[in-house]
Amino acid sequence: MSGAVGVGAGIAFGTAGPGASAGVKAPHVLLTEQASRRILVLDPARAPWDPVAEPGVVRWAFSPLGDGRYRDLEPEVSWVYPSEAKVRLHRGRTFLLTTASFGFVGVVEWPGGRRYWGTAVSPGDDSFNPHSAEILPDGNVAVACSTGARVRLYAASLGTRATRFAEAELKGAHGLHWDWENRLLWALGDDELVAFAVAGGAARPRLVRRFADPLPVATPGRSAGGHDLFPVAGLPGRLWVSTSASVHQYATRGRTFAQDFAGAAEISRKGVKCVGDDPRTGRVVTTVPEPGLGETWWTTTVSAHRPEGAYKLVGGGIYKARWWLPR
């Protein structure tokens, strides 16, 4: 399956998902599905998900393999282990932001799959390991490269194949989020959460480190292992932050980490690869690796919280899961 496929209509909400109360409408679920090298949007009302036996559970899918619009990014070698999937609204259009560990970075218009912008960072190896991306109001795109220990800001507003970039060092760069209120780019590394300001014009941007806060650590002297950074949809001014050992919320105004959120006892645990909430229902989704799969970081399960439940993908190799919530 190549390019973008699926159903454009009716993607926003399904019926109650596993563990939810009857009548509750849940958003569709967005996955980085590494076993099949696809981004999937799945119907929460039809779990367990078995795309082979029941193709209709897939409401939309994306892969650059075999798609001529992405040929120059060498997806046969760069699109290995898709590691990020976010849905964003930008200037009235809906985009998927996606990265893959072997170099692929793309901003893909939904539902047709048209390329807004893309690049391949050292395609074919994981020496940079693009792990997350974010689109800024001017149309430029930030990329967190975990192995490369840096955050890059590409002048993507210059065109679909723009290659100019600014960069800043950040050990273990894993997550990115643009803060509209404070006009800051938040970046999550191994040991700190950093706020960058963006200087210069759209054509020649610069990243300026404003301040940083150390991540909570479970064992003094050990790295926190920052992993996922995502806005708390139901509480503006807070960010979800997952580390190797736990999950926190960070208040951007007070610059403090807290575990005072509902469901913390179930949500906060070791190895959480992604975390996000639905503001309508309050439900939270997370993923944690499970043993016995093709890679040690894969899972077939998307955990849902408040109330507790789970979605299962037959034959899956899931890395991250997010609610389909364009914002």
Side-chain angles (χ1 to χ4, degrees):
M1 185 180 295
S2 61
V5 299
V7 181
I11 200 170
F13 292 94
T15 56
S21 302
V24 175
K25 291 188 177 295
H28 283 65
V29 184
L30 174 64
L31 301 181
T32 57
E33 210 298 281
Q34 296 188 351
S36 62
R37 298 173 70 179
R38 294 187 297 170
I39 303 298
L40 299 178
V41 177
L42 297 169
D43 187 341
R46 299 172 71 175
W49 300 311
D50 188 345
V52 174
E54 191 181 2
V57 301
V58 178
R59 303 300 295 159
W60 189 75
F62 171 76
S63 169
L65 295 171
D67 189 329
R69 296 170 292 187
Y70 300 91
R71 184 180 299 114
D72 61 303
L73 305 186
E74 303 178 66
E76 64 281 358
V77 296
S78 67
W79 181 250
V80 179
Y81 301 136
S83 53
E84 180 63 285
K86 295 179 179 177
V87 57
R88 291 289 188 261
L89 293 176
H90 177 69
R91 298 179 181 175
R93 293 185 289 170
T94 301
F95 293 99
L96 166 75
L97 277 63
T98 187
T99 63
S101 295
F102 278 49
F104 186 97
V105 184
V107 180
V108 179
E109 188 171 359
W110 175 85
R114 186 172 66 174
R115 172 174 167 175
Y116 168 79
W117 173 81
T119 195
V121 187
S122 188
D125 66 61
D126 61 354
S127 59
F128 282 82
N129 195 357
H131 213 83
S132 189
E134 183 64 287
I135 190 166
L136 276 58
D138 61 6
N140 287 344
V141 176
V143 181
C145 300
S146 61
T147 308
R150 66 197 67 190
V151 174
R152 284 186 171 180
L153 179 56
Y154 284 88
S157 57
L158 297 181
T160 59
R161 291 172 171 78
T163 57
R164 183 182 297 164
F165 64 85
E167 66 180 12
E169 292 186 5
L170 180 59
K171 178 186 174 185
H174 261 69
L176 293 168
H177 172 67
W178 174 256
D179 182 341
W180 281 83
E181 180 181 2
N182 297 302
R183 301 196 67 79
L184 293 171
L185 178 67
W186 295 94
L188 182 67
D190 275 347
D191 303 300
E192 58 185 349
L193 179 61
V194 181
F196 289 103
V198 178
R204 295 187 180 276
R206 292 184 293 112
L207 288 169
V208 181
R209 184 179 172 118
R210 289 298 191 205
F211 56 84
D213 289 312
L215 300 180
V217 293
T219 304
R222 296 191 63 181
S223 174
H227 201 278
D228 197 34
L229 179 67
F230 210 68
V232 179
L235 192 58
R238 281 206 177 194
L239 303 174
W240 291 106
V241 176
S242 77
T243 69
S244 296
S246 55
V247 175
H248 301 261
Q249 287 185 359
Y250 175 84
T252 59
R253 289 188 178 180
R255 292 176 57 184
T256 56
F257 292 92
Q259 290 182 312
D260 58 357
F261 49 91
E266 292 76 31
I267 295 167
S268 181
R269 58 210 197 279
K270 292 182 180 180
V272 171
K273 299 299 185 184
C274 62
V275 55
D277 62 307
D278 169 25
R280 288 173 40 136
T281 64
R283 297 204 87 190
V284 176
V285 288
T286 61
T287 59
V288 172
E290 64 184 85
L293 301 180
E295 301 291 352
T296 58
W297 56 86
W298 285 2
T299 184
T300 61
T301 304
V302 178
S303 298
H305 313 274
R306 304 188 60 218
E308 292 295 299
Y311 302 94
K312 298 287 288 187
L313 177 64
V314 176
I318 301 168
Y319 186 55
K320 289 181 182 175
R322 306 200 186 279
W323 295 122
W324 178 269
L325 293 170
R327 66 186 75 201

